[in-house]
Amino acid sequence: EEEKMRRVELQKQRLDQMLEAKRSAFEAKHNQSQMVSRDAPIVSLFTSCGSSKSILGKKEDAEETSVIGRLSVRLRARDLPAPELLFAGHHYAVLSVGDQTFETKRVPGQNCQWDANYDFPIHRVDTSLAVSVFREGWFQDSLLGKTEIPFLDIEEWSGHWMGRLLESENTESLSVVELQASFDWF
């Protein structure tokens, strides 16, 4: 139990460090764009449009949007909650990195195996993989749980199966999502 708590604490610290680095990079970029906007009003018009690509060809913007690697993911889930109705829908997962999202095929059962690889191009600003598991419903799909896995953990377990508990509003059921992931850096 202490080992588990220590691992959770280390994971939180690593995620906090990554978020702080991302926040610092954003603030530095934001401060730089404010300095430019005071000197040239036309530039502020373009930078306030919210475009992620560099209109003026800034090196920093090009580095953030350039692809630095690829993340390949295989996914399965265990111990999903039993359906409340006899004819409940199939399960599916939504994987996302940054603004990129993949949805798995729908499969039946409480232990789901999605037989597919999902490949994400990785950008310098991407820090984690988010996984949400859903059950199809008659009128609306229900979220069974979600988790976010920092790239540091994925890199540490690269090529091996790793499991994470799905965070859910239903505290009575403990569902696990397992994934096998690896990076290819360019």
Side-chain angles (χ1 to χ4, degrees):
E1 187 67 30
E2 285 182 22
E3 181 67 22
K4 184 177 179 182
M5 293 300 292
R6 188 180 67 76
R7 284 185 184 168
V8 168
E9 187 62 34
L10 284 173
Q11 183 179 9
K12 285 181 183 179
Q13 288 174 355
R14 282 190 265 170
L15 183 57
D16 288 342
Q17 290 171 350
M18 289 173 59
L19 289 174
E20 184 60 35
K22 190 172 182 179
R23 200 174 293 125
S24 298
F26 173 78
E27 289 173 0
K29 181 179 175 186
H30 181 70
N31 290 338
Q32 183 181 16
S33 69
Q34 284 182 345
M35 290 189 311
V36 173
S37 67
R38 282 189 230 126
D39 296 337
I42 296 174
V43 172
S44 67
L45 174 67
F46 289 115
T47 57
S48 66
C49 290
S51 173
S52 64
K53 295 188 178 179
S54 176
I55 294 172
L56 302 175
K58 289 183 186 175
K59 184 179 178 182
E60 297 86 14
D61 288 344
E63 286 177 358
E64 287 181 6
T65 59
S66 65
V67 176
I68 60 170
R70 185 183 72 221
L71 173 64
S72 297
V73 179
R74 290 185 59 80
L75 187 70
R76 63 186 180 201
R78 286 189 296 122
D79 304 326
L80 295 175
E84 296 171 2
L85 302 172
L86 183 60
F87 298 107
H90 296 341
H91 299 100
Y92 67 96
V94 175
L95 296 88
S96 57
V97 171
D99 60 354
Q100 308 163 72
T101 302
F102 284 109
E103 187 174 296
T104 66
K105 64 182 179 181
R106 280 129 164 90
V107 296
Q110 291 178 270
N111 297 313
C112 301
Q113 178 89 25
W114 294 283
D115 293 322
N117 280 336
Y118 303 94
D119 293 329
F120 293 93
I122 301 299
H123 301 89
R124 189 172 303 281
V125 294
D126 297 330
T127 59
S128 63
L129 169 70
V131 179
S132 301
V133 178
F134 295 88
R135 176 182 291 132
E136 287 181 321
W138 286 101
F139 302 107
Q140 182 178 357
D141 296 349
S142 56
L143 175 67
L144 298 180
K146 60 186 176 182
T147 189
E148 190 166 342
I149 306 159
F151 284 169
L152 291 173
D153 289 351
I154 294 173
E155 182 71 28
E156 187 175 319
W157 287 87
S158 183
H160 301 282
W161 286 97
M162 61 186 283
R164 290 289 188 268
L165 288 175
L166 289 172
E167 297 173 8
S168 165
E169 293 177 3
N170 181 1
T171 57
E172 293 178 11
S173 67
L174 294 176
S175 300
V176 176
V177 67
E178 295 176 333
L179 60 101
Q180 183 179 32
S182 62
F183 286 105
D184 291 324
W185 301 110
F186 304 140

